[in-house]
């Protein structure tokens, strides 16, 4: 299992670079960032500094979108970074959430996601592509290799991930939901004539290491409850579109746990998006925080990570939006990542 870390590009930018360096020093494989250029600093600029300051980690957005980024510019950015630093970038692609909504825009269609994925991937892999009635290719790109992973929750988005994505990103750490989502993506890949095992399956969620005491659990939940609000914001859109009732065959559009807890949701404020002091997530119960995140002692983290690995997760990416960033990286590097890698070897 690979490990990643997801950072917000809060100023100063060198703090983000410093956390990326620490992540590599502690054995993490990927450094991801949010991509909302109004809420935080411009990540495409910071990627170059991260790559220059590290030797091994792969960097990319979790996630970008086809609306606020010109597809050819995104492809050029990542191809250039690959040519400069070796093939150490990846693109996480979604329909657009915070980056789009703060501009009063709407998320892209899944067709736009498919088309953008194709254009970015072809250009990022030094191949020609048809776009806007023209055949495009970077004449300077010689060695760039680029994957595009698709983030999804809803049925059609999961289908898109399976049909065209190099990987699937699930921003949620519940084992049962992860199993269900991966099955949907693999089925879609298989139906499209693709090898389901060729995709990379990445789960991203907050992780907080603490003592197994009531006081510690209260603090850990308070620092990560924002994540249930963020996920709920996505799920609310999906429920609006698809409903939450089973079809005539009794099949629900997605797991019940995702629809039940958002009934108390009243709205969402992007000014506190991804922040531990988020003031509008009281509707998220402790049970959901515990299911969606990984909290507790190192042993409790390992236990849940083993369950995620066993349902098909190839990478766990730690959302690091809480008050224990450096310590989380250290404990993962010293006590969790080595144990998980031994577990994978033993299973093999």
């Amino acid at each position: 299992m690979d490990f990643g870390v997801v950072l917000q590009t809060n100023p100063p930018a060198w703090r983000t670079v410093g956390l990326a360096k620490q992540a590599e020093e502690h054995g993490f494989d990927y450094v991801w960032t949010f991509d909302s250029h109004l809420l935080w600093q411009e990540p495409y600029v910071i990627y170059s500094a991260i790559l220059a300051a590290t030797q091994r980690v792969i960097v990319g957005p979790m996630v970008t979108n086809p609306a606020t980024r010109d597809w050819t510019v995104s492809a050029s950015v990542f191809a250039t970074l690959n040519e400069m630093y070796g093939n150490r970038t990846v693109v996480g692609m979604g329909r657009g959430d915070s980056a789009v909504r703060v501009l009063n825009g709407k998320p892209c269609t899944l067709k736009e996601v498919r088309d953008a994925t194709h254009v970015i991937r072809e250009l990022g892999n030094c191949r020609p592509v048809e776009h806007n009635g023209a055949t495009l290719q970077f004449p300077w790109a010689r060695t760039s290799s680029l994957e595009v992973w698709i983030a999804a929750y809803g049925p059609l988005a999961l289908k898109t991930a399976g049909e065209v994505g190099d990987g699937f990103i699930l921003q949620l750490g519940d084992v049962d939901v992860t199993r269900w989502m991966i099955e949907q993506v693999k089925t879609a890949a298989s139906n499209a004539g693709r090898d389901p095992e060729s995709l990379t399956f990445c789960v991203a969620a907050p992780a907080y290491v603490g003592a197994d005491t009531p006081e510690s659990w209260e603090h850990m939940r308070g620092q990560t409850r924002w994540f249930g609000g963020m996920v709920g914001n996505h799920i609310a859109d999906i429920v609006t579109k698809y409903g939450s009732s089973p079809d005539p065959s009794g099949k629900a559009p997605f797991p019940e746990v995702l629809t039940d807890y958002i009934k108390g949701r009243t709205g969402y404020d992007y000014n506190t998006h991804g922040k531990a002091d988020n003031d509008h997530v009281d509707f998220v119960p402790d049970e959901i925080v515990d299911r969606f995140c990984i909290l507790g002692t190192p042993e409790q983290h390992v236990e849940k990570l083993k369950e995620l690995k066993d349902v098909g997760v190839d990478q766990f990416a730690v959302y690091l939006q809480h008050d224990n960033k450096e310590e989380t990286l250290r404990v993962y590097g010293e006590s969790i990542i080595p144990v998980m890698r031994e577990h994978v070897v033993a299973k093999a």
Side-chain angles (χ1 to χ4, degrees):
M1 177 183 274
D2 287 336
F3 286 85
V5 61
V6 187
L7 306 173
Q8 286 176 341
T9 53
N10 291 306
W14 293 113
R15 164 86 160 132
T16 303
V17 176
L19 287 170
K21 290 176 63 178
Q22 288 183 53
E24 181 175 77
E25 290 164 1
H26 288 301
F28 285 79
D29 308 284
Y30 285 74
V31 173
W32 303 88
T33 73
F34 285 52
D35 178 19
S36 294
H37 58 286
L38 286 172
L39 296 177
W40 303 289
Q41 290 182 320
E42 172 53 49
Y44 282 18
V45 175
I46 296 172
Y47 293 155
S48 190
I50 291 174
L51 289 166
T54 57
Q55 287 77 47
R56 182 180 50 81
V57 290
I58 295 170
V59 305
M62 188 181 282
V63 295
T64 192
N65 69 85
T68 58
R69 302 285 189 184
D70 180 272
W71 309 350
T72 61
V73 173
S74 286
S76 181
V77 166
F78 292 104
T80 300
L81 291 173
N82 284 339
E83 296 281 332
M84 291 175 67
Y85 299 107
N87 290 313
R88 293 173 54 202
T89 69
V90 63
V91 175
M93 177 68 69
R95 294 179 59 212
D97 182 40
S98 57
V100 174
R101 295 183 192 272
V102 295
L103 292 167
N104 289 326
K106 293 182 179 180
C108 296
T109 65
L110 288 171
K111 182 182 185 306
E112 289 173 312
V113 170
R114 288 172 180 269
D115 292 346
T117 295
H118 176 66
V119 169
I120 292 171
R121 180 165 51 212
E122 293 307 291
L123 290 174
N125 284 282
C126 310
R127 296 189 291 260
V129 67
E130 297 295 320
H131 180 53
N132 283 347
T135 300
L136 308 177
Q137 186 171 12
F138 296 139
W140 44 263
R142 296 287 182 269
T143 60
S144 175
S145 177
L146 183 68
E147 291 191 349
V148 181
W149 300 2
I150 294 178
Y153 291 109
L156 291 180
L158 293 169
K159 184 172 182 287
T160 299
E163 291 177 348
V164 303
D166 296 305
F168 165 54
I169 296 171
L170 174 61
Q171 292 156 310
L172 184 151
D174 181 84
V175 176
D176 294 331
V177 174
T178 298
R179 180 190 295 109
W180 188 90
M181 296 279 192
I182 288 178
E183 287 175 357
Q184 307 309 304
V185 174
K186 285 188 172 182
T187 297
S190 181
N191 290 342
R194 307 180 70 200
D195 176 8
E197 301 307 319
S198 68
L199 277 69
T200 301
F201 295 92
C202 173
V203 160
Y208 199 115
V209 181
D212 193 10
T213 65
E215 295 79 13
S216 181
W217 275 96
E218 181 180 3
H219 182 76
M220 289 187 289
R221 288 167 177 152
Q223 286 290 306
T224 56
R225 197 176 304 276
W226 65 267
F227 186 66
M230 186 185 84
V231 173
N233 196 49
H234 291 291
I235 300 304
D237 280 348
I238 298 169
V239 170
T240 299
K241 181 174 182 178
Y242 296 100
S244 58
S245 301
D247 63 21
S249 69
K251 181 181 178 181
F254 31 78
E256 210 171 75
V257 64
L258 294 179
T259 59
D260 285 351
Y261 88 96
I262 66 168
K263 293 175 182 177
R265 177 181 176 274
T266 58
Y268 196 78
D269 180 1
Y270 281 96
N271 291 312
T272 52
H273 185 59
K275 292 185 178 180
D277 58 355
N278 196 314
D279 58 1
H280 53 280
V281 294
D282 291 344
F283 71 94
V284 182
D286 288 351
E287 177 193 2
I288 290 296
V289 179
D290 296 350
R291 290 185 66 166
F292 286 9
C293 306
I294 301 186
L295 311 176
T297 64
E299 293 76 17
Q300 289 169 319
H301 282 245
V302 167
E303 180 182 0
K304 188 166 184 180
L305 286 167
K306 287 180 178 179
E307 293 179 31
L308 289 169
K309 176 61 182 174
D310 290 345
V311 301
V313 174
D314 299 304
Q315 179 186 155
F316 176 65
V318 177
Y319 272 105
L320 211 60
Q321 286 67 55
H322 53 58
D323 64 359
N324 207 29
K325 295 177 178 61
E326 287 83 359
E327 182 65 4
T328 298
L329 294 175
R330 184 190 69 79
V331 175
Y332 259 74
E334 294 181 3
S335 305
I336 297 173
I337 292 177
V339 173
M340 285 304 302
R341 291 197 166 134
E342 289 176 6
H343 169 70
V344 171
V345 170
K347 291 277 288 188

